[in-house]
């Protein structure tokens, strides 16, 4: 014969387990939502920064660029910035200095984290920038965050 109290105990245990699953599911959903909001805030803080920000590889290839850096260079898109050769974006002197900095980084030698460069904007205008470079992890790999602001004396 079937004991009705066993059935109630089993049903009660199943209900408790389901409640725990729902609470965990709700908690995970809230954590995912908080993470999404945090990522969105971080992305906006970079995208809308008044400072020009790029994420670049050790070779100087652009991975990310915000609107301010595009405005500094006079480009309409990140793709346009990426596909314009460095030799066209830097003055000859600044390109030579870039090559020296890049070689030092590749050899693991000290490379200043603050320097000035002269760039050539899309319209041909030369602009002088104060640049700050910091090693960061981006997508789990060593990259550089480069922040640039036009110098006051042009």
């Amino acid at each position: 014969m079937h004991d009705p109290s066993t059935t109630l105990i089993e049903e009660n245990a199943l209900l408790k387990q389901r409640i725990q699953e729902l609470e965990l599911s709700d908690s995970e959903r809230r954590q995912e939502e908080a993470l999404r909001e945090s990522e969105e805030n971080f992305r906006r803080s970079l995208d809308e920064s008044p400072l020009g920000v790029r994420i670049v590889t050790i070779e100087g290839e652009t991975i990310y660029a915000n609107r301010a850096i595009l405005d500094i260079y006079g480009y309409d898109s990140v793709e346009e910035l990426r596909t314009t050769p460095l030799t066209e974006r830097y003055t000859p002197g600044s390109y030579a200095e870039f090559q020296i900095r890049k070689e030092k980084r590749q050899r693991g030698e000290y490379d200043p984290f603050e320097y000035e460069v002269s760039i050539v904007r899309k319209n041909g205008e030369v602009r002088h920038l104060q640049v700050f470079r910091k090693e960061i992890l981006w997508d789990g790999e060593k990259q550089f965050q480069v922040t640039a602001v036009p110098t006051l004396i042009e």
Side-chain angles (χ1 to χ4, degrees), residues 2-63:
H2 187 65
D3 182 358
S5 64
T6 304
T7 304
L8 287 175
I9 292 171
E10 290 172 351
E11 285 180 17
N12 189 33
L14 287 173
L15 284 173
K16 284 181 179 180
Q17 180 182 351
R18 183 64 183 137
I19 289 170
Q20 286 176 339
E21 290 171 358
L22 289 172
E23 287 173 345
L24 182 60
S25 174
D26 187 50
S27 174
E28 288 173 347
R29 184 189 54 74
R30 283 193 304 259
Q31 286 177 345
E32 287 176 4
E33 187 176 308
L35 180 59
R36 254 192 314 277
E37 287 176 7
S38 176
E39 288 172 348
E40 179 68 17
N41 288 338
F42 178 73
R43 185 188 61 76
R44 276 199 186 121
S45 72
L46 279 178
D47 288 348
E48 298 173 14
S49 172
L51 304 174
V53 178
R54 287 190 313 142
I55 306 298
V56 299
T57 65
I58 195 168
E59 292 83 20
E61 300 297 319
T62 299
I63 298 171

Side-chain angles (χ1 to χ4, degrees), residues 3 62 79 85 93 98 136 145 151 153:
D3 182 358
T62 299
E79 190 58 31
F98 162 77
I136 62 166
Q145 180 183 51
T151 58
I153 302 172

Side-chain angles (χ1 to χ4, degrees), residues 121-134:
R121 299 185 78 225
K122 181 180 176 179
N123 66 5
E125 173 189 354
V126 173
R127 191 174 257 186
H128 307 286
L129 307 177
Q130 184 71 34
V131 177
F132 304 89
R133 182 184 42 77
K134 173 93 170 106

Side-chain angles (χ1 to χ4, degrees), residues 101 110-116 130-133:
R101 286 191 307 273
Y110 172 76
D111 182 30
F113 64 91
E114 180 182 349
Y115 48 91
E116 291 185 10
Q130 184 71 34
V131 177
F132 304 89
R133 182 184 42 77

Side-chain angles (χ1 to χ4, degrees), residues 74-108:
Y75 292 121
D76 298 317
S77 69
V78 174
E79 190 58 31
E80 186 177 19
L81 179 69
R82 279 188 188 123
T83 57
T84 303
L86 288 174
T87 54
E88 293 178 26
R89 286 192 275 147
Y90 285 118
T91 62
S94 282
Y95 182 75
E97 292 168 358
F98 162 77
Q99 290 291 85
I100 292 167
R101 286 191 307 273
K102 179 176 121 179
E103 289 168 7
K104 284 182 175 182
R105 283 192 302 271
Q106 289 173 334
R107 290 191 304 264

